[in-house]
Amino acid sequence: MAEQKIFGYTDRLSVKQGDRLNIYVNCDGSDFADAQLVRLIHGDNNTEAGPGYIEREIPHPANGNWPVKKQFTQLGNYLTVEDPDQHLKLDGTLSMGAFIWPSMPKRGARQTIMGRWDTLTNEGFALGINPDGYLEFWVGDGKEVDYITSEMPLIKHVWYLVGVSFDAMTRTVTLYQEGVLNRYNSLIGTTTPYDFASHVRTRFRFSQHNRADVPFLIAGARDHHELRGNFVGDLYAGKIDRPFISERILTREEMDTVKAGHKPPADGLMAYWDTAAGYTDDGIGHDVVETGPYRLKTRGVNHPVRGMTGWNWNGKNDCFRLAPHEFGGIEFHPDAVTDCGWAVTKTIEIPSDLKAGPYAIRLRVGPGCGIAEEYVVFFVRQAKPTAKLCFLVPTASYLAYGNETLAFDAQIVQPMTGQPPIISDVEIETYEHREYGLSTYNHFEDGAGVCFSSWKRPIINMRPKFRNSWMGAPWQFPADLSVTAWIEHCGYDCDFITDDDLHREGLAALKPYNCVISGTHPEYVSERMLDAQEDYVAQGGRLIYTGGNGYYWCVNFDPEEAAVMEVRKLDSGMRAWAAKPGEHYLQTCGTKSGLWRNRGRAPQKLVGVGMISEGFETCTPFRRMPDSWHRTVSWITEGIEGELIGDEGLAYGGAAGIEIDRYDLALGTPPHTKIIASSGGHTDNYVLATEEILYAYAGMVGSLDYRIRADMIYYTSWNDGAVFSSGSIAFGQALPAKGFEGTTSKLLRNVVDAFLKDGPLPGRQWTLEEKQWR
Amino acid sequence: MTEPLDPNPVNGELAVREYFDSKTRRYLKRVITPELIEEHRCGPHAQHRSEPLGRLMFYLKNLPIDQQYALRLMPNGAYRITSIPKPGEPPVEVDGTDYPDPSAGLHGIFLRKINDLMGRQDG
């Protein structure tokens, strides 16, 4: 019997009461799964310091036995070309060419750059790279395959013009390979004495035979599996810029004119993809403009990366908006996936009276635990908001970390976290099979950083009970369930909206609420999300940031595919990878990515604090600071005995730690901000964030640097608006400790109770006579 | 005419790192004592105040990933030491010892890394 395992996802993360939700399930080893709608109360199964895992089964017509089946995922980037009239079904003479920048030439597997090739039947023609890393052109007639191979191996991360001319009359075939590296565009410079060029000619035994149903593809080739059906294999890794195909022989001299930067000859040209066309100031879509006589509609699959530096990039311009023609590179990765594309398993209706909050369809097969249990998570939102409190679910950050495998791949993780990882069966399973895509903390197999993440795939760490392996505690969604459990415990009427709701609807999504509360680590924020929260506070809203290292990365949701978020990591910041020079701008909107701090919007400007350090393996309490006794803010600590706050918690026993934020007037903390409490004296595993460092020197660690601390702050804004920030990821995970009655919980309850009331905030009466300044 | 260059060159830095690491190991082998091991056992997460343990921890944490270990949570709630999985391969269990909690397991990894270190020939 096959091993039983089950995975799933939804078409949306946010669904309103009364709406319908599609659920997609892949199952091995069973034809049926036991399905149960559950409300997720608490996600951390730590019973020593907290309440343990809590879910509540909800009656629903969809509960019961669901028929499930094996579903397959198409991995990899490639371009599809719609060619209904089969213009590219060239049965005779042809030429093809493209600028390429291979990232894994010696992959040990065949890679197709472009062609019309059927791997199952060996029919058609294609230009590609053989498993040993040499340029190759091949034709097949359904019985045999003939090849012509370059004499010089392709060097990774170097730009080439490659091409082929095939004379069907004489069956003479000529391969063209020339390096086009300049001072900027490739990994190595012009002084490295590699021999890039190769020109080979031979005579084939036969010409290609083309099947009518085989598609012309760029960066992949048609394959077939008995159970799966047709799919795309022989995927290419690297960049392709301005590929073309002609129905006549192109001479060496004509190819040289292409190498010099001219378009391929119009005579005989069947298709020419101007990969740098169609760019706008607001970004680049997924259609690639084909400018030949037939204008063939061409589209990327699984988000090939656009706007990348092209073969002719000369280093002067750093953005595709400034000189589009130098940014024609499209980067392909064989292990990318942004939509599993499975058939719908079930559509469920969300009851109109279902209380807003975090839910899941719990699916079980066989033993019903480990990889035989899945929670397909979604968030229910009030159809018409009636609550005064709203939890802003940081789904952009969930996506960023979705399926991260740092514990397995990143050497840097153990030095960062100070401890070996604690791994679970579900991580081992998904890491071994790698079907469900990566996080923005991963590198693709070819070494490039992952800049897209999507919810249209199973996300194994966006589940209750999941413990982050490299930190040994819940992270993101399961950690945020400690905040929502606290909301539930306190009995607050609370609505739930997601980052993608906020990105789409802007300020209007926040307007109905007196108070908005964040998750533990809302690190990834789009401009629209940031604008909305800034305007919300300035117009009288009250924002509670219960986390650390928030409002950090500039991201965007894809306007063509709402499930997909984009980020580019660059320049500075605590980051898993660094985008290459010239590739720092978001293709989905045209603005620069990286840190908000480096775009003039440091987190301090909105939430008063911003990232200063991370250390993970220990936490501490906060200590009250002198400001907290000021009568404008003393109400925040009312009922708390002593000077320590948060000497408890599910994340290493304290409310201050994991990743922590600091008050900093030089980065835009509002000057009247009060520091309620602060930590400090963290272990030396807490190091200064890289964006703080101009000159590095010894001692930028927790026990030696006063800046390494979590600051808990409060400030007031216009129209009775206000912000409270905890400055620490561990704060949220401290809320359930001591039966939800610890000092962290008492303090936050003071804040929420005050923030929910209409009218002036407590302490407001003192602001005029005492002023707000120290 | 230059010699043909290898398209997949060996990283020359590996030899340089090995030179540096062997010097570090020679120092660490001199300072590993029962007292130092006990200091770690008492607090695998704690701030390591003694300089020898601090330097040892830096070395162990910074090892290449193929020389690192993980703790695997077993269905019975115990923890076992495994290799770090490689893409497409499951982790390899290094022995059958059950550790009752993460702290004990982390100390088990610490001891295993010390064993690896002591087995290296550093002149």
Side-chain angles (χ1 to χ4, degrees), chain A residues 1 4-9 23-37 60-71 342 345-346 348 361-369 371-376 463:
Chain A
M1 185 176 176
Q4 292 177 303
K5 48 191 177 184
I6 190 160
F7 294 94
Y9 61 92
I23 296 168
Y24 309 81
V25 180
N26 169 31
C27 184
D28 280 279
S30 180
D31 296 327
F32 292 92
D34 178 54
Q36 172 67 51
L37 175 64
H60 189 278
N63 292 341
N65 238 5
W66 287 10
V68 291
K69 63 179 182 181
K70 174 76 180 167
Q71 305 224 43
W342 296 344
T345 302
K346 193 87 168 177
I348 66 166
I361 294 292
R362 188 190 67 206
L363 295 164
R364 288 175 174 164
V365 292
C369 60
I371 58 174
E373 180 186 62
E374 166 70 302
Y375 286 83
V376 184
R463 291 173 164 196

Side-chain angles (χ1 to χ4, degrees), chain A residues 289-318:
Chain A
V289 179
E290 197 280 293
T291 62
Y294 306 110
R295 299 291 195 265
L296 303 174
K297 184 172 172 57
T298 302
R299 191 164 177 83
V301 174
N302 281 327
H303 285 70
V305 189
R306 306 290 308 271
M308 305 298 262
T309 53
W311 73 276
N312 52 351
W313 182 59
N314 64 19
K316 180 175 182 180
N317 298 295
D318 74 341

Side-chain angles (χ1 to χ4, degrees), chain A residues 63 115 213 301 490 557 626 641 674 684 749 768:
Chain A
N63 292 341
D213 63 334
V301 174
C490 294
F557 285 93
E641 300 290 330
K674 297 285 194 291
D684 289 348
R749 195 187 291 235
L768 289 179

